[in-house]
Amino acid sequence: AGASIVEIGHAERRRLFGETDADVAKKAAAVARNGMTPVVCIGEKNKSNIASQAVGIAVSECKPQIKAALSQLPDDADVILAYEPVWAIGASEPAGADHVVAVTQNLRALVAETGRKGRTRILYGGSAGPGTFQKLKDGVDGLFLGRFAHDVGNLEKVIEEMKDS
């Protein structure tokens, strides 16, 4: 079919089909073994209303998801982490920019500690759309678009915003 990137571990699959971190890790290994790049969906379930705790909670929930997936990937395999707080999926607004940038910078440092040779990119999803990337570009490499990409006009706006960065 010509696919080169495969999305795995989305929150809805985890919820509806009971997929675990171990299941997602096995899928990531299969994707890499077959010459494609896994897009591993990660994210915290609960939103903390205490700003000083929110980043720590998010990182602590995402850490085992990342570690499981990386443990099954060859050291030189590319991987894309799609950070999408579960509480932000389908919300009217994305998670706050300060929160997303702080979380993704921490996740990037976590991956760097592993010493992997493969490239790791981080995307943000969770009500991402036009205007989101500019606010998050210090923490993410791109966006993981959902319903906003169903409208070609919105998709064009996002592409233009990213092209200009």
Side-chain angles (χ1 to χ4, degrees), residues 29-61:
V31 169
R33 185 173 58 249
N34 287 284
M36 297 174 283
T37 302
V39 176
V40 180
C41 298
I42 59 171
E44 74 275 17
K45 290 181 183 176
N46 301 306
K47 181 179 182 180
S48 175
N49 292 325
I50 303 171
S52 62
Q53 295 176 354
V55 171
I57 290 169
V59 172
S60 69
E61 282 191 48

Side-chain angles (χ1 to χ4, degrees), residues 12 84-94 125-128 147-148:
E12 291 170 347
E84 187 172 37
V86 177
W87 52 265
I89 297 172
S92 58
E93 295 289 324
S127 300
R147 71 180 184 278
F148 287 106

